[in-house]
Amino acid sequence: MLDLLIKNADVISTAPGAVTVRHGHDIAIQGNRIDAVLPTGQIDAGRAKEVIDASEMIAMPGLINAHCHNAMVLFRGAGEDVSIERWFNEVIWPLESNLTAEDVYWGALLGLAEMIEAGVTTVADHYFFMDEVARAVEQAGTRANLGWAVFSAGVERPENKLRETTEFVERWQGGADGRITTWLAPHSPYTCDEAFLRLSADWARKLNVGIHTHVSETREQVQISLTKTGRTPFEVLRDAGVFEVPTIIAHAAHPTDGDIALMARAGAGVAHCPKTFLKLAAGIAPVLKMREAGIPVGIGSDGVVSNNTLDILEQTRLAAMLQKHENRNAEVLTIADALTMACNDGARVLHLPDLGDLAPGKLADLILIRTDSPHMQPVLNVTANVLYSAQAADVDTVICNGKLLMRGRNLLTLDKRQIIAEVRSRMARLQQRIPGQRLQTYEA
Ligand SMILES: [Zn+2]
């Protein structure tokens, strides 16, 4: 007996270097895995407990958000038209200093609801109060790599804070039926000193986990690192031993050729967040060079205060168009490359090899996208329509770990009205400025 049969879809497979479309195929799901993908008619629908008719729909792997600060949805719209320094010092850090664990829980649920509605089934989330985020992920039914962000700059006994995050790693590793993986998340080389980064790497090795961190977001960060230490931020991480464990490098907007070689040798993965770069005028990452070096580059949304949505399809589209524009070459970063980044490469960045493709044996994380609206017609090129024409609202059905999370645009695990009401009720307190409050300051 099969648990679920999806009938008559156009199926996009995003195996590396081989994006294919199979028209009129069925997908059989058994437990949390894909059992078979075969032409319609070859699998007996009578064998399935539940059947979904996916005529006029495209099936593809669930999208992977490789870098996010999910609960920052609470601050959507708060930091517009400001420099990166003002963005941190005048907007983000005052707001974040008011956050409570419960705020983060409701913020995470809001973000997860938005991500499910946009077809995102996995997120690498880097934030605070991560026990609450884990609870939210458990409830939403999605998959997540969770890292509790820590700093050493301006923090008394930061090693104690780090130790608390290692306890979180152990508490939630493999949680929510295996949907949660946990890594360490020292914030960045500009907010963590080298000794702290070394301690983080030592802990990661001991716990057999990776490190998720921000690197070389702006040219100024690289310049200041060179002036202070004689090394690029990547070289500082290398010397601290960070590249001896798996890494998610968020941004990597300004790596040198040496940094790219270093990442390639180390097997590091990059989370590329093009909308954040554009809004904060931070410069565009050399995605083509990094991909040519064999580095997996996934797509991240970053937090919505610099991005405004968690729509990974939108970010993937921007990633493709920006590389074409930057390289003055319309033939680079093809549709196949872009869709691979959003699925398979994202899975490689997160070290989740059972994700990122629709093939027998893979985990059953997939989405169905409707093609019956005017902006999706005609369907001459399935993958072009997905990358360049589809809207998040075209995602009809979302399945993660073999379970339905959304069907016909109805969320099945989350109560959207309750979440929105809870979030709204917290806004006045979160926006209060508390006199004399000690805040983190941003210095590249
Ligand atoms: Zn970030």
Side-chain angles (χ1 to χ4, degrees), residues 25 72 78 109 136 148 168 199 205 207 210-212 219 238 280 318:
H25 270 59
M72 286 181 94
L109 285 177
W148 195 314
F168 163 75
L199 195 58
R205 218 174 291 114
L207 295 165
I211 285 182
H212 181 179
R219 250 182 247 292
R238 173 201 61 199
L280 290 175
L318 280 174

Side-chain angles (χ1 to χ4, degrees), residues 60-78:
M60 69 177 289
L63 300 166
I64 295 178
N65 184 348
H67 176 67
C68 186
H69 313 286
N70 182 13
M72 286 181 94
V73 290
L74 294 167
F75 309 136
R76 190 188 326 254

